[in-house]
Amino acid sequence: MPAAMPAPFPLPAEDRALSPHTGWTRAHWEAAADGLLAAVRPYASPGLARIDLPGPRPSWSGPASDGLEGYARTFLLAAFRTAGARGEDPTGLLERYAAGLATGTDPASAEAWPPITDRGQPMVEAASIALALRLTRPWLWELLDHPVRLRAARWLAAALHREPVDNNWHLFPLTVAGFLGELDATDPGLLEEAGTDAEACRAAVTRGLAKLDGWYLGEGWYTDGRPRAVDHYNGWALHLYPVLHAHLSGDAELLARHGARLAAHLDGYARTFGADGAPLHQGRSLIYRHAAAAPLWLGALTGHTPLTPGTTRRLASGALRHFLDRGAADRRGLLTLGWYGAHPPMVQPYSGPASPYWSSKGFLGLLLPADHPAWTATEQPAPAELADSVRPLAAPGLLVQSTAADGLVRVHNHGSDDQPADGAALPDDPLYARCAHSTATGPTFSAELPDNHFGLTINGAPTGRGRITPLGTGPGWAASHSTPADGVRITSLTLAHGPDEVRAHLVTGAAPGTPARQTGWAVTAARLHSSLHPVHGYTALTAHHLPEGTAYGPDATLPALTGAVTDGLFACTARLAGTPDGPSPSVAVTGTTLHVHWPDGSSVTASLGDATVEVRR
């Protein structure tokens, strides 16, 4: 992990009285927004319709779409900054984005935006533009000439009549419809001139909400289109768009329904932030970084949160500061394609140079007035700072383990795989399929040596995890099974207590002698300690040096245990901690039953069967 460094733009002095944990106040958020927006100005096109940022490669949508993305995502940040200041705009942000809107929606312009097509990236950017226009309407939209408003409405309206990707993309037409539907009441005839109508707006909202209901797993958690795709999109998309739409439209019934889901989500989600401010490193699009703060602010904005105002700001400010202190913005002030600095292995092909600016969502808190308790209350500790905790999240199939001494959060994954609904399982995605993720480690991107993985070697090749079927969670445990090869099933169990883990797997259907391997946490920082100790089924322990490292830095070290199938049971202890190993748990094995005695004297018994698990205390 890189050492803390100053942000590449000026920030106010810390206020440790109001913010004893981060030192940050609303003024820091405003200064950070101003610095990020000032940094992209030199890359605006002559007509201001595009922001063409430098980068190693374009996205798969091409440079024209990437330039639109630069406009749309920074416009969202400018909207939060100015709407929160009630239109105060000393640097002329809205004037510049209004000019870009006029240029980009002009078909005769050399900078005309790409049209919105079925499953095309401009549909995504249309949502950011529509939301930004909705938030700044008194100070931007209402000052535009009618021809510009008409062109903009016509370009946006295409989103209502095109097919989105079958995941969170359904919320982009919903967001566009929220803005256009508002216009129907105040600008009669505009929608008809633009080629749509109020009914199309209502239909887009209805479709989006129906899709969302179909993905709801319960307890505030969604899967993102695929059967088990659970990640940060829960907060920065699946909750953000419908809850913000309900809030802005004054729909009390819709807000009550989706606000309750948001509050339930935040109850567990708040536990996934480390004491150093880091959000969990799991799932795709992690280059959005501090967008992870968006649902925290959304709960405060709408009143649907279990968190105190001081905890909300502590978590949100901790996340933003975490990245700015560690080089997420380069010396020019531009956000990089990575976690701290650039890290190409974690960047999806749909991402281009401006994609990280969806982190603008994390600035949602600027919509709160300066006298809101989320800004004026004294910061309170993050959940991970208060006490050791192991919290099961039944709906997504996760087990959240945190330790107060080092502030680390680990999430044991028995429910998220990002596999498609139909057909054979795809190769494992390292950002989803690992058995565990944390706030201080990233996955290795090697198919030959994946971290936090249990697999077999069949026909000379290592098996992936494949499709995960949750078997349940409970106090201190989570379990699942998978079928990594024809006729082979692996039942997996994680037990967690304090900083300690017990990982167990029961293999059925594999030939005796089949090689097996369990890997642990891949660490890059000297302050972190990763260990594995064999209990049953393993015969050798090795440590591997990975020069390419992870998103947290180069030169990772990865422990691994190897063995071979005999009775089918494999068990080990594991630990990721900020201090060297302390006393280890004691584990005795009887058949396929584990008797675990933790260092503090408590105990648990767990029995594994073929796709069944029973845990007793």
Side-chain angles (χ1 to χ4, degrees), residues 555-600:
D555 298 317
T557 301
L558 178 68
L561 292 167
T562 53
V565 173
T566 52
D567 60 4
L569 181 68
F570 294 87
C572 69
T573 63
R575 179 181 287 184
L576 172 70
T579 57
D581 279 2
S584 295
S586 171
V587 185
V589 176
T590 305
T592 59
T593 297
L594 308 179
H595 308 277
V596 181
H597 295 272
W598 302 110
D600 67 358

Side-chain angles (χ1 to χ4, degrees), residues 303-477:
H304 292 276
T305 179
L307 306 176
T308 66
T311 302
T312 295
R313 190 175 79 256
R314 188 267 175 274
L315 291 171
S317 292
L320 177 57
R321 179 162 192 178
H322 181 84
F323 290 110
L324 291 184
D325 279 354
R326 291 166 175 79
D330 66 18
R331 57 181 176 78
R332 299 164 295 184
L334 301 178
L335 295 175
T336 59
L337 286 158
W339 189 243
Y340 297 142
H343 188 64
M346 65 175 279
V347 182
Q348 279 80 26
Y350 55 75
S351 294
S355 294
Y357 287 85
W358 235 15
S359 60
S360 298
K361 294 177 177 183
F363 286 80
L364 181 79
L366 291 178
L367 294 180
L368 295 166
D371 60 356
H372 190 281
W375 291 120
T376 61
T378 302
E379 278 185 347
Q380 294 181 287
E385 296 174 290
L386 292 171
D388 291 359
S389 174
V390 181
R391 168 69 73 89
L393 301 178
L398 305 176
L399 187 67
V400 183
Q401 176 190 19
S402 63
T403 41
D406 50 24
L408 294 175
V409 177
R410 316 130 185 98
V411 173
H412 302 284
N413 173 29
H414 290 273
S416 181
D417 57 25
D418 198 34
Q419 293 287 346
D422 301 315
L426 296 176
D428 285 354
D429 182 334
L431 292 166
Y432 285 93
R434 299 298 194 249
C435 293
H437 305 270
S438 85
T439 57
T441 65
T444 63
F445 285 85
S446 167
E448 294 302 314
L449 199 60
D451 65 292
N452 286 315
H453 177 70
F454 177 83
L456 308 173
T457 299
I458 296 177
N459 297 326
T463 61
R465 195 176 185 191
R467 197 178 307 279
I468 299 170
T469 301
L471 293 177
T473 62
W477 68 273

Side-chain angles (χ1 to χ4, degrees), residues 184-209:
D184 189 57
T186 58
D187 200 344
L190 183 67
L191 293 191
E192 184 178 355
E193 282 188 83
T196 190
D197 54 33
E199 179 53 37
C201 293
R202 287 190 290 270
V205 171
T206 300
R207 282 195 305 271
L209 294 176

Side-chain angles (χ1 to χ4, degrees), residues 139-188:
W139 312 290
L140 193 161
W141 181 265
E142 292 179 2
L143 304 182
L144 295 174
D145 294 336
H146 178 76
V148 177
R149 292 202 304 270
L150 176 58
R151 293 202 309 266
R154 183 174 290 136
W155 185 82
L156 289 168
L160 310 184
H161 306 282
R162 302 291 183 266
E163 189 66 25
V165 178
D166 194 21
N167 59 9
N168 66 86
W169 279 44
H170 283 277
L171 300 177
F172 304 144
L174 178 152
T175 302
V176 171
F179 171 62
L180 293 181
E182 259 183 9
L183 298 181
D184 189 57
T186 58
D187 200 344

Side-chain angles (χ1 to χ4, degrees), residues 1 10 25 89 188 192 202 205 229 265-266 276 314 329 333-334 340 414 472 505 540 546 574:
M1 182 181 297
T25 65
D89 186 16
E192 184 178 355
R202 287 190 290 270
V205 171
H265 176 71
L266 291 174
D276 61 359
R314 188 267 175 274
L334 301 178
Y340 297 142
H414 290 273
H505 310 276
L546 305 175

